[in-house]
Coordinates of all heavy atoms in Angstrom, one line a residue:
G1 N 58.8 -37.5 -46.5 CA 58.3 -38.8 -47.1 C 59.4 -39.8 -47.4 O 59.2 -40.9 -47.5
H2 N 60.7 -39.3 -47.5 CA 61.8 -40.1 -47.7 C 63.0 -39.5 -47.1 O 63.3 -38.3 -47.3 CB 62.1 -40.4 -49.2 CG 63.0 -41.5 -49.4 ND1 64.4 -41.4 -49.2 CD2 62.8 -42.8 -49.9 CE1 65.0 -42.6 -49.5 NE2 64.1 -43.4 -49.9
P3 N 63.8 -40.2 -46.2 CA 64.8 -39.6 -45.5 C 66.0 -39.1 -46.3 O 66.8 -38.3 -45.9 CB 65.3 -40.7 -44.5 CG 64.9 -42.0 -45.2 CD 63.6 -41.6 -45.9
Q4 N 66.1 -39.5 -47.6 CA 67.2 -39.1 -48.4 C 66.8 -38.0 -49.4 O 67.6 -37.6 -50.2 CB 67.8 -40.3 -49.1 CG 68.4 -41.3 -48.2 CD 68.8 -42.6 -48.9 OE1 68.0 -43.2 -49.6 NE2 70.1 -43.0 -48.8
A5 N 65.6 -37.6 -49.4 CA 65.1 -36.5 -50.3 C 66.0 -35.3 -50.2 O 66.3 -34.8 -49.0 CB 63.7 -36.2 -50.1
K6 N 66.3 -34.6 -51.3 CA 67.1 -33.4 -51.3 C 66.3 -32.3 -52.0 O 66.4 -32.3 -53.3 CB 68.5 -33.6 -51.9 CG 69.3 -34.6 -51.1 CD 70.7 -34.8 -51.7 CE 71.5 -35.8 -50.9 NZ 72.9 -36.0 -51.5
T7 N 65.6 -31.5 -51.3 CA 64.7 -30.5 -51.9 C 64.8 -29.2 -51.2 O 63.9 -28.7 -50.6 CB 63.2 -31.0 -51.9 OG1 62.9 -31.3 -50.6 CG2 63.1 -32.2 -52.8
P8 N 66.0 -28.6 -51.1 CA 66.2 -27.4 -50.3 C 65.4 -26.2 -50.7 O 64.9 -25.4 -49.9 CB 67.7 -27.1 -50.5 CG 68.1 -27.8 -51.7 CD 67.2 -29.0 -51.8
N9 N 65.1 -26.1 -52.0 CA 64.3 -24.9 -52.5 C 62.8 -25.0 -52.1 O 62.2 -24.1 -51.7 CB 64.5 -24.8 -54.0 CG 66.0 -24.5 -54.4 OD1 66.5 -23.5 -54.0 ND2 66.6 -25.5 -55.0
I10 N 62.3 -26.2 -52.3 CA 60.9 -26.4 -51.9 C 60.7 -26.3 -50.4 O 59.8 -25.7 -49.9 CB 60.4 -27.8 -52.4 CG1 60.4 -27.9 -53.9 CG2 59.0 -28.1 -51.9 CD1 60.1 -29.3 -54.5
D11 N 61.7 -26.8 -49.7 CA 61.6 -26.7 -48.2 C 61.7 -25.3 -47.8 O 61.0 -24.8 -46.8 CB 62.8 -27.5 -47.6 CG 62.7 -29.0 -48.0 OD1 61.7 -29.5 -48.4 OD2 63.8 -29.7 -47.8
R12 N 62.6 -24.5 -48.4 CA 62.7 -23.1 -48.1 C 61.4 -22.3 -48.4 O 61.0 -21.4 -47.6 CB 63.8 -22.4 -48.9 CG 64.2 -21.0 -48.4 CD 65.4 -20.5 -49.3 NE 66.5 -21.4 -49.2 CZ 67.0 -22.1 -50.2 NH1 66.4 -21.9 -51.4 NH2 68.0 -22.9 -50.1
L13 N 60.7 -22.7 -49.5 CA 59.5 -22.1 -49.8 C 58.4 -22.4 -48.8 O 57.6 -21.5 -48.4 CB 59.0 -22.6 -51.2 CG 57.7 -21.9 -51.8 CD1 58.0 -20.5 -52.1 CD2 57.2 -22.7 -53.0
A14 N 58.4 -23.6 -48.2 CA 57.5 -24.0 -47.2 C 57.6 -23.1 -45.9 O 56.7 -22.7 -45.3 CB 57.6 -25.5 -46.8
K15 N 58.9 -22.8 -45.6 CA 59.1 -21.9 -44.4 C 58.7 -20.5 -44.7 O 58.4 -19.8 -43.7 CB 60.6 -22.0 -44.1 CG 61.1 -23.4 -43.6 CD 62.6 -23.3 -43.3 CE 63.0 -24.7 -42.8 NZ 64.5 -24.7 -42.5
Q16 N 58.7 -20.1 -45.9 CA 58.3 -18.7 -46.2 C 56.7 -18.6 -46.3 O 56.2 -17.5 -46.2 CB 58.8 -18.3 -47.6 CG 60.4 -18.2 -47.6 CD 60.9 -18.1 -49.0 OE1 60.2 -18.1 -50.0 NE2 62.2 -17.9 -49.1
G17 N 56.0 -19.7 -46.4 CA 54.6 -19.6 -46.6 C 53.9 -20.6 -45.6 O 54.3 -20.7 -44.5
I18 N 52.9 -21.2 -46.1 CA 52.1 -22.1 -45.3 C 52.1 -23.5 -46.0 O 51.7 -23.6 -47.2 CB 50.6 -21.6 -45.1 CG1 50.6 -20.4 -44.2 CG2 49.8 -22.7 -44.4 CD1 50.7 -19.1 -45.0
L19 N 52.5 -24.5 -45.3 CA 52.6 -25.9 -45.8 C 51.3 -26.6 -45.4 O 51.0 -26.8 -44.2 CB 53.8 -26.6 -45.3 CG 53.9 -28.1 -45.5 CD1 54.1 -28.4 -47.0 CD2 55.0 -28.7 -44.7
F20 N 50.6 -27.2 -46.4 CA 49.4 -28.0 -46.1 C 49.8 -29.4 -46.2 O 49.9 -30.0 -47.3 CB 48.3 -27.6 -47.1 CG 47.8 -26.2 -47.0 CD1 48.4 -25.2 -47.6 CD2 46.7 -26.0 -46.1 CE1 47.9 -23.9 -47.5 CE2 46.2 -24.7 -45.9 CZ 46.8 -23.6 -46.6
S21 N 50.1 -30.0 -45.1 CA 50.7 -31.4 -45.1 C 49.7 -32.5 -45.2 O 50.0 -33.7 -45.2 CB 51.5 -31.6 -43.8 OG 50.7 -31.4 -42.6
N22 N 48.4 -32.2 -45.2 CA 47.3 -33.2 -45.4 C 46.5 -32.8 -46.6 O 45.3 -32.8 -46.6 CB 46.5 -33.3 -44.1 CG 45.6 -34.6 -44.1 OD1 45.8 -35.4 -45.0 ND2 44.7 -34.6 -43.2
A23 N 47.2 -32.4 -47.7 CA 46.5 -32.0 -48.9 C 46.4 -33.2 -49.9 O 47.3 -34.0 -50.0 CB 47.3 -30.9 -49.6
H24 N 45.3 -33.2 -50.6 CA 45.0 -34.4 -51.5 C 44.4 -33.9 -52.8 O 43.7 -33.0 -52.9 CB 44.1 -35.4 -50.8 CG 44.7 -35.9 -49.6 ND1 45.4 -37.1 -49.5 CD2 44.7 -35.4 -48.3 CE1 45.9 -37.3 -48.3 NE2 45.5 -36.3 -47.5
C25 N 44.8 -34.7 -53.9 CA 44.2 -34.4 -55.2 C 42.8 -34.9 -55.3 O 42.3 -35.8 -54.4 CB 45.0 -35.1 -56.3 SG 45.0 -36.9 -56.2
Q26 N 42.0 -34.5 -56.3 CA 40.7 -35.0 -56.4 C 40.5 -36.1 -57.5 O 39.5 -36.7 -57.6 CB 39.7 -33.8 -56.8 CG 39.3 -33.0 -55.6 CD 40.4 -32.6 -54.6 OE1 41.1 -31.7 -54.9 NE2 40.5 -33.3 -53.5
G27 N 41.6 -36.3 -58.2 CA 41.7 -37.4 -59.2 C 43.1 -37.9 -59.2 O 44.0 -37.1 -59.4
P28 N 43.4 -39.2 -59.0 CA 44.8 -39.7 -58.8 C 45.5 -40.0 -60.1 O 46.4 -40.8 -60.2 CB 44.6 -40.9 -58.0 CG 43.3 -41.5 -58.4 CD 42.4 -40.3 -58.7
I29 N 45.1 -39.3 -61.2 CA 45.9 -39.3 -62.5 C 45.8 -37.9 -63.0 O 45.0 -37.1 -62.7 CB 45.4 -40.4 -63.5 CG1 43.9 -40.3 -63.7 CG2 45.8 -41.8 -63.0 CD1 43.4 -41.2 -64.8
C30 N 46.7 -37.6 -64.0 CA 47.0 -36.2 -64.4 C 45.7 -35.5 -64.9 O 45.4 -34.4 -64.4 CB 48.0 -36.2 -65.5 SG 49.6 -36.9 -65.1
G31 N 45.0 -36.1 -65.9 CA 43.9 -35.4 -66.5 C 42.8 -35.0 -65.5 O 42.4 -33.8 -65.4
P32 N 42.2 -36.0 -64.8 CA 41.1 -35.6 -63.9 C 41.5 -34.7 -62.8 O 40.8 -33.8 -62.4 CB 40.7 -37.0 -63.3 CG 41.1 -38.0 -64.3 CD 42.4 -37.4 -65.0
S33 N 42.8 -34.8 -62.3 CA 43.2 -33.9 -61.3 C 43.3 -32.5 -61.8 O 42.8 -31.5 -61.2 CB 44.6 -34.3 -60.8 OG 45.1 -33.4 -59.8
R34 N 44.0 -32.3 -62.9 CA 44.1 -30.9 -63.5 C 42.8 -30.3 -63.9 O 42.6 -29.1 -63.7 CB 45.1 -30.9 -64.6 CG 46.6 -31.2 -64.1 CD 47.5 -31.5 -65.3 NE 48.8 -32.0 -64.7 CZ 49.9 -31.3 -64.7 NH1 49.9 -30.0 -65.1 NH2 51.0 -31.8 -64.2
C35 N 41.9 -31.1 -64.5 CA 40.6 -30.6 -64.8 C 39.9 -30.2 -63.6 O 39.1 -29.2 -63.6 CB 39.8 -31.7 -65.5 SG 40.3 -32.0 -67.3
S36 N 40.1 -30.9 -62.5 CA 39.4 -30.5 -61.3 C 39.9 -29.2 -60.7 O 39.1 -28.3 -60.5 CB 39.5 -31.7 -60.3 OG 38.9 -31.3 -59.0
F37 N 41.2 -29.1 -60.4 CA 41.6 -27.9 -59.7 C 41.7 -26.7 -60.5 O 41.5 -25.6 -60.1 CB 43.0 -28.1 -58.9 CG 44.2 -28.2 -59.7 CD1 44.8 -27.1 -60.3 CD2 44.9 -29.4 -59.9 CE1 46.0 -27.2 -61.0 CE2 46.0 -29.5 -60.6 CZ 46.6 -28.4 -61.2
L38 N 41.8 -26.9 -61.9 CA 41.8 -25.7 -62.7 C 40.4 -25.2 -63.0 O 40.2 -24.0 -63.3 CB 42.5 -26.0 -64.1 CG 44.0 -26.2 -64.0 CD1 44.6 -26.7 -65.3 CD2 44.7 -24.9 -63.7
S39 N 39.4 -26.1 -62.9 CA 38.0 -25.6 -63.1 C 37.3 -25.4 -61.8 O 36.2 -24.7 -61.8 CB 37.2 -26.7 -63.9 OG 37.0 -27.9 -63.1
G40 N 37.8 -25.8 -60.7 CA 37.1 -25.7 -59.4 C 36.0 -26.6 -59.2 O 35.1 -26.4 -58.4
K41 N 36.0 -27.7 -60.0 CA 34.9 -28.7 -59.9 C 35.4 -30.1 -59.6 O 36.5 -30.5 -60.1 CB 34.1 -28.8 -61.2 CG 33.4 -27.5 -61.6 CD 32.2 -27.4 -60.7 CE 31.3 -26.2 -61.2 NZ 30.1 -26.1 -60.3
Y42 N 34.7 -30.9 -58.8 CA 35.0 -32.2 -58.5 C 34.8 -33.1 -59.7 O 33.9 -32.8 -60.6 CB 34.2 -32.8 -57.4 CG 34.6 -32.4 -56.0 CD1 34.0 -31.3 -55.3 CD2 35.7 -33.1 -55.4 CE1 34.5 -31.0 -54.0 CE2 36.1 -32.7 -54.1 CZ 35.5 -31.7 -53.4 OH 35.9 -31.3 -52.2
P43 N 35.5 -34.2 -59.9 CA 35.3 -35.2 -61.0 C 33.9 -35.7 -61.0 O 33.3 -35.9 -62.1 CB 36.3 -36.3 -60.7 CG 37.4 -35.6 -60.0 CD 36.8 -34.6 -59.1
F44 N 33.3 -35.9 -59.8 CA 31.9 -36.5 -59.8 C 30.9 -35.5 -60.2 O 29.7 -35.8 -60.4 CB 31.6 -37.1 -58.4 CG 31.7 -36.2 -57.3 CD1 30.8 -35.2 -57.0 CD2 32.9 -36.3 -56.4 CE1 31.0 -34.4 -55.9 CE2 33.0 -35.5 -55.3 CZ 32.1 -34.5 -55.0
T45 N 31.3 -34.2 -60.4 CA 30.4 -33.2 -60.9 C 30.5 -33.1 -62.4 O 29.5 -33.0 -63.1 CB 30.7 -31.8 -60.3 OG1 30.5 -31.8 -58.9 CG2 29.8 -30.7 -60.9
T46 N 31.7 -33.1 -62.9 CA 32.0 -32.9 -64.4 C 31.9 -34.2 -65.1 O 31.7 -34.2 -66.3 CB 33.3 -32.3 -64.6 OG1 34.4 -33.2 -64.2 CG2 33.5 -31.0 -63.8
G47 N 32.2 -35.4 -64.5 CA 32.3 -36.6 -65.2 C 33.7 -36.9 -65.8 O 33.8 -37.9 -66.4

């Protein structure tokens, strides 16, 4: 995402597992996003 990023530990983790490079949140601010992935429900289901 940026040519000057320095994230050797996250990059190493990606090589050890599977990187989902087209992953997206279900709500683009903290509360709705965390409520969604922690509950397993979309925002348009829970409100």
Side-chain angles (χ1 to χ4, degrees):
H2 193 288
Q4 294 174 307
K6 296 179 180 180
T7 54
N9 298 293
I10 298 172
D11 300 341
R12 188 179 307 114
L13 186 68
K15 292 180 180 179
Q16 295 170 353
I18 294 90
L19 171 67
F20 294 88
S21 60
N22 194 11
H24 299 267
C25 65
Q26 276 51 75
I29 51 177
C30 300
S33 176
R34 291 169 190 255
C35 285
S36 176
F37 73 75
L38 288 171
S39 71
K41 293 288 189 179
Y42 279 99
F44 55 78
T45 297
T46 65

